[in-house]
Amino acid sequence: MNTSHDSDGASGCGNRPATSGLNILNQGTPCGGGGSCGGVSCGGEQRSKADSRRQFLSRATSMVFGSFALTLLPMESPESTAETPLPAPPNGGAIPAPPAASVAKPVLYGFLVDTEKCIGSGKCLSACRTENHVPDGYSRTWVERYVHFKDGTVQVDLVPEAGYHESKLPIVDAALVDKAYFVPKLCNQCVDAPCNQVCPVHASFTSPEGVELIDTDRCIGCGYCVQACPYGMRYINPETNSADKCTWCYHRITKNQEPACVEACPVGARVFGRLDDPESELSKRLGAVRTQVLKEYLGTHPKLHYVGLSGEVV
Amino acid sequence: MSRHFSLLRDTRHLQAVALGLIVLGGGLIAARSHLIPKSFGEHGPYRGDALTEISAQQPVLTSDTTCLKCHDSVRKERAESPHKDVACLHCHGNGHEHMAQAANAAADPSVTIEKAKPWDGDFFTKLDLFITKDRATCLSCHEKVVGMPAGFRSIDVKSHLADQGAENIDSPDVCFECHTGHSPGI
């Protein structure tokens, strides 16, 4: 057969068309060493094979690029398209800015803590407890004291809620201290809040003003969020069996009042305000002084800013 | 070879499957509408009513503006003093009951507003108003503690009283021999 391939190839092929077809399908090598099949029909199969491969490649390519092209489409939620006005034209742009009344500007709250002002009186602590009915043994906010001793050690302790006066705490000898300062802690209200992301029942949520809140009716008390918060802000409230946390006093700020701790601070170490309003005291302070956030490397993007932090503060 | 699919012969099986799917689907839809709260998704992936519930909570602490509506003289006293940023409640407590009485008195002139009581030494539990001519009130902020900013006026009580020649060192209102609360600077 091999030798007579050229001469009677066509007739051989004609004799066993079905077999040759099967061979092609099964082996995928129609013109292999067997040579049972004629050059004409083999050539035809090769062409169609090549055609189908070309077709396949062209379709695959267009599909791949097509799916990439899909990612270029603008991704916007209906909410944001409804609320956000068109991007402001550059100065001197022909398009006039939309009138302020027609578009409701989204409110965004922020917080600034000035550690250079805090005196550790602890008034914010009892104010928060009273305002938010925080059970004993739990806290939505606390104030840490960092004491850097001359021997290089750093001591961190908590400011007592009733203040240092008559607190019976051991008195730190000022002669041994290099520097010492107070750091109030409260919810960072992260833009990318890890606590919010782990909630399995959508009980943790972000208000339209950017405040992380908890729906106590939906919370099942699993405590994932308590573990997820890198700042240790959350706890399970033993009275409600629900997760609980600092809300920047959402019930006060929505009534145009300041959070309880801000109200209670006698030295203005806590500043609350609107980030979206460039005329607010907060925006002006943030623009004028150098600030830091806690654990910036975690990428949580806190809306709580600090003035005068030292590297030891975490 | 294999038995061919026949619509006629398999009708009863198909009906059973279709019925099962309809019941299952209907049950799932009913369960979903029952389990998902009505306001879910109003503002985002959460129960929208939770937002209104939280913001409807009533504030407990009183802000200064409320106090100064009636006690306007204090505003002038504090205007130039180091205590201009110190809120009323820091020294006088919250005044919840006091304001409730004031509101009642405004509506009905026969209602009398009770006088403030002396401070019992506990800021934490008190939501009512009190008068605080007490050194502990002053020292809750002004006693020198390691960690205070250098610019803050803090004192070591014993040496300060000795330096200033206070008369009744043990008296609770010893601070008021020299200072006043609303405008304490000298």
Side-chain angles (χ1 to χ4, degrees), chain A residues 79 116 118-119 123 127 129-131 145 165 172 180 182 202 205 208 215 217-218 251-252 254-255 263-264 266, chain B residues 37 43 45-47 50-51 54-55 57 59-61 63 90 124 127 139-141 143 145-149 152:
Chain A
E79 198 180 324
E116 288 165 7
C118 181
I119 58 168
K123 305 238 186 242
R129 195 175 290 285
T130 312
E131 178 72 40
R145 179 173 68 167
H165 180 61
V172 177
F182 297 103
H202 290 287
F205 62 94
D215 182 353
D217 280 4
R218 297 216 34 100
H251 60 292
R252 291 177 69 91
T254 46
K255 297 180 182 70
E263 194 77 60
Chain B
H43 310 287
Y46 56 90
R47 195 170 63 93
L51 205 62
I54 295 172
S55 57
Q57 290 167 12
V60 177
L61 294 187
S63 69
H90 293 149
F124 175 47
L127 289 178
L139 294 175
S140 70
C141 289
E143 188 173 30
V145 174
V146 168
M148 279 183 171
F152 185 72

Side-chain angles (χ1 to χ4, degrees), chain A residues 29-45:
Chain A
T29 50
C31 292
S36 60
C37 182
V40 178
S41 74
C42 263
E45 291 293 343

